[in-house]
Amino acid sequence: MRGADGHADPENAPRLHTRRWFLGSLGALLAGSLGWWGVGREWSASIRSLVARRLYFLDLDPAGLDAFARDAMADPQLPFPKHMHVRRWFFSLYSRVPVRLFPLLPARDRLAGLEARVVQKYLLSTDFFLQGADESVTVRYRAYFDPYRRPCVNPFL
Amino acid sequence: MADYDLILVGTGFASSFFLKAYLEVAPARARVLVLERGRHDSHDWQVRHRRNSSTVASTTFVNETAAKDWVFSIGFGGGSNCWTAGAPRFTPDDFRMESTYGVGRDWPIGYSDLEPYYQDAEELMAISGPDDSQSLFPRSRPYPQPPHQFSRPDALLKQAFPNTFFQQPTARARHATQGRPGCCGSMVCLLCPVDAKFTIENGCSHLYADPRVTLLVEARALTVETEGGVASGVSYEQDGVVKGASADLVVLGANALFNAHILLRSGFRHPLLGRRLNEQTAVDVRVDLDGLENVGGSTLITGTGYMFYDGPHRATRAAAYVSTLNHLSLRLERGRWRQRMYLTISFEALGLDENHVSFDPARPDLPVVVHAVNSPYVLRSLERIPVLLDELLGNLPVESLAIGRPTSNEAHIIGTTVMGDDPESSVLDRHLVYHGVHNLVVLGSGAFPTSTPTPPTLTLSALALWSAKGVLG
Ligand SMILES: Cc1cc2nc3c(=O)[nH]c(=O)nc-3n(C[C@H](O)[C@H](O)[C@H](O)COP(=O)(O)OP(=O)(O)OC[C@H]3O[C@@H](n4cnc5c(N)ncnc54)[C@H](O)[C@@H]3O)c2cc1C
């Protein structure tokens, strides 16, 4: 804070110091926990929570969902590079909180598109459509959906 | 004596169909050299690498118009590797736009001239199609294969438009053919996992194994050599070395960017050479349906609509061609998983002289491509999309629509070597022979005087057969 002549007011200095220290620590704590929450998390954990959040109304077999998340990580068509910490952080955040709650998020459309691709891949990898899309039955993972490994799989036929 | 009877550049549809017709009449001692600039990336290679070609096509030309893409595939088989295999004919009016509607140019040939060649091309590719489209496309013989199955929304569109909505004619086999299984609906047609769509590899490899034919891959044609107004051969580059070969007949089938570029580089100077580059513009539409499941369609693109195609409107705005698609795209909502369909509406283009391919001596290997001007003829139709959709979808329980932006390419490259009877206003004659050079043939959709809204490949394939007949007798 400055005096009327533009010089710093020595009276205020200690108070300012304390407040800055407090705000700084709070910021660091917040950033640290958010960082831990996001970066410390594996992509596969985020994939799991993304699918579970989006399909909350279905009963998903947990072991199958784990297996799907592992297989999705190895899919070259899905962008889950190991070294992209910022992206991983956003994805982790997004996998728990729906994107519509972040109207100004720059990557909003890309994340929503990625969500649709991942969730669709999951459903196509399960027995959901084989069971007549019955939403009351547990959904079980069969094999990762890849038309080049398992062609002719199509619930629209 | 020339080294070869025929030098053929490229191994896509145009070259392969010409070669087929050539070998049928050529003597046993005929010598044919085929130059293909790319590699032979086999179907197995493509599936392993999940791409159509080891050559990145965008590195083979200079695009001066950032907003406009040009998409094609380099290598043995050309675009047959990546095409989605829609194979409809043009309508009779497509060949006479100027005399019927006062826009564009008439073709020097009509539908009835091309009809027998359409039929032959359809048989070569075992096209599956609907025989109830006779009123729009008169045919001398039935389609080689029965049509694919409509989806449920398609069936409603057929009820609403019985005379203008049909199953899409396609080279995605309905039933197994010799060498191809039937399409099983994997919906990734750019690279079919089971090899069900026609490609040059699965349908024409035997032509390149013919003892009369020498195929050189990774051999890029540079120029057509001429002597006294006659084509005498081709210079080409292979393994970094420039070589030459002479021939009695030179045929270019390298697509509309490269054919024009090779000719310009060779010193051909017709004022229209390289000009009138164009292609259709399309808009994709996602339709969420209320209670109607989009199931039952047996392939990627099931329906084609001609309800906004021919008619007086074509005097002022572009004709539209409607396709219905079965993308594997779920609606992630309870109970509504499959209540979604996709449409593409494609509009014809007009070839404008400002849009062109040119040769730049500073970058001699790369065609320079400019597409700076869009015709108001097309823009007027784009503005009417909401009206068209209202009319088109009146019979369907539409919940919501998402209309995409006009696409930056349709993967069809048209114009640059237009055909016509008058050497002043066209580059090629009616048999695709370069005006004034009787032994130089330039194949492909570069020859089309008008684009039409329809995908071009069946027509350019039929035109290659027609050209071979005209040139070889
Ligand atoms: C993704 C995609 C989807 C498509 N889907 C459809 C569809 O559903 N229906 C339809 O009608 N059309 C479709 N097309 C368009 C279709 O692929 C083209 O119309 C068709 O391939 C053109 O045939 P062509 O023989 O004239 O040229 P191409 O198939 O492009 O073949 C040209 C050949 O020449 C070679 N070549 C080029 N330059 C040289 C040189 N200097 N020397 C030697 N060789 C050379 C190339 O490597 C290639 O093999 C699609 C295109 C793409 C890219």
Side-chain angles (χ1 to χ4, degrees), chain B residues 29-345:
Chain B
R29 59 187 155 61
R31 292 146 309 147
V32 179
L33 175 66
V34 181
L35 302 172
E36 168 51 59
R37 75 176 282 172
R39 297 194 182 139
H40 183 169
D41 299 317
S42 66
H43 181 262
D44 281 351
W45 182 96
Q46 293 177 47
V47 169
R48 245 181 299 122
H49 292 83
R50 307 284 167 101
R51 61 193 155 110
N52 293 116
S53 170
S54 51
T55 306
V56 178
S58 58
T59 62
T60 61
F61 66 103
V62 176
N63 188 359
E64 298 265 293
T65 315
K68 180 87 189 89
D69 287 337
W70 300 96
V71 182
F72 51 88
S73 189
I74 293 287
F76 180 78
S80 74
N81 295 311
C82 64
W83 78 322
T84 47
R89 296 179 173 198
F90 288 1
T91 68
D93 276 350
D94 285 334
F95 294 87
R96 44 183 192 229
M97 285 286 288
E98 190 172 10
S99 46
T100 313
Y101 301 114
V103 289
R105 283 147 204 99
D106 283 355
W107 291 47
I109 58 174
Y111 180 92
S112 56
D113 295 315
L114 211 51
E115 203 285 329
Y117 302 93
Y118 267 140
Q119 199 71 51
D120 290 347
E122 285 165 348
E123 268 156 33
L124 279 166
M125 295 195 246
I127 301 295
S128 130
D131 284 322
D132 68 344
S133 57
Q134 281 276 0
S135 58
L136 285 183
F137 309 96
R139 315 177 49 83
S140 47
R141 281 169 274 163
Y143 269 110
Q145 291 218 351
H148 271 278
Q149 270 167 240
F150 273 149
S151 64
R152 282 191 205 161
D154 285 333
L156 291 177
L157 287 170
K158 182 70 178 170
Q159 266 174 24
F161 301 99
N163 302 318
T164 49
F165 188 77
F166 308 100
Q167 288 96 343
Q168 189 198 45
T170 176
R172 281 169 252 120
R174 177 79 181 99
H175 299 312
T177 67
Q178 218 184 8
R180 282 193 280 155
C183 167
C184 62
S186 302
M187 306 300 179
V188 281
C189 302
L190 298 185
L191 173 51
C192 176
V194 299
D195 210 11
K197 71 176 178 184
F198 171 87
T199 66
I200 297 302
E201 186 185 63
N202 66 26
C204 291
S205 279
H206 62 284
L207 302 175
Y208 296 93
D210 188 295
R212 291 168 290 181
V213 177
T214 305
L215 167 65
L216 299 182
V217 292
E218 298 184 78
R220 182 167 55 98
L222 304 175
T223 55
V224 175
E225 306 298 316
T226 49
E227 271 172 36
V230 174
S232 55
V234 171
S235 76
Y236 63 97
E237 189 248 36
Q238 196 185 28
D239 298 329
V241 181
V242 176
K243 304 174 182 174
S246 59
D248 296 328
L249 177 62
V250 173
V251 177
L252 301 184
N255 96 21
L257 299 188
F258 299 116
N259 285 342
H261 182 251
I262 292 169
L263 292 170
L264 288 164
R265 185 178 194 171
S266 311
F268 288 82
R269 290 290 174 265
H270 191 291
L272 277 180
L273 179 57
R275 304 262 151 199
R276 299 191 186 158
L277 172 68
N278 69 91
E279 71 167 333
Q280 299 90 347
T281 304
V283 167
D284 297 323
V285 184
R286 196 186 68 209
V287 185
D288 282 351
L289 299 160
D290 190 3
L292 176 66
E293 299 268 305
N294 177 23
V295 293
S298 60
T299 188
L300 177 69
I301 304 175
T302 39
T304 46
Y306 292 87
M307 55 294 280
F308 312 120
Y309 201 106
D310 266 329
H313 64 268
R314 224 172 161 181
T316 50
R317 55 186 154 79
Y321 166 87
V322 177
S323 314
T324 55
L325 287 88
N326 293 306
H327 282 313
L328 255 184
S329 167
L330 298 171
R331 217 174 136 178
L332 300 177
E333 291 167 54
R334 280 187 112 142
R336 295 182 169 252
W337 309 100
R338 290 172 292 203
Q339 295 178 18
R340 168 174 285 177
M341 69 182 288
Y342 287 85
L343 302 168
T344 300
I345 309 183

Side-chain angles (χ1 to χ4, degrees), chain A residues 54 120 135 148 152 154-156, chain B residues 184-186 191 296 328 330 335:
Chain A
R54 195 67 168 80
Q120 168 162 315
E135 293 165 13
Y148 294 100
C152 316
N154 186 342
F156 288 86
Chain B
C184 62
S186 302
L191 173 51
L328 255 184
L330 298 171

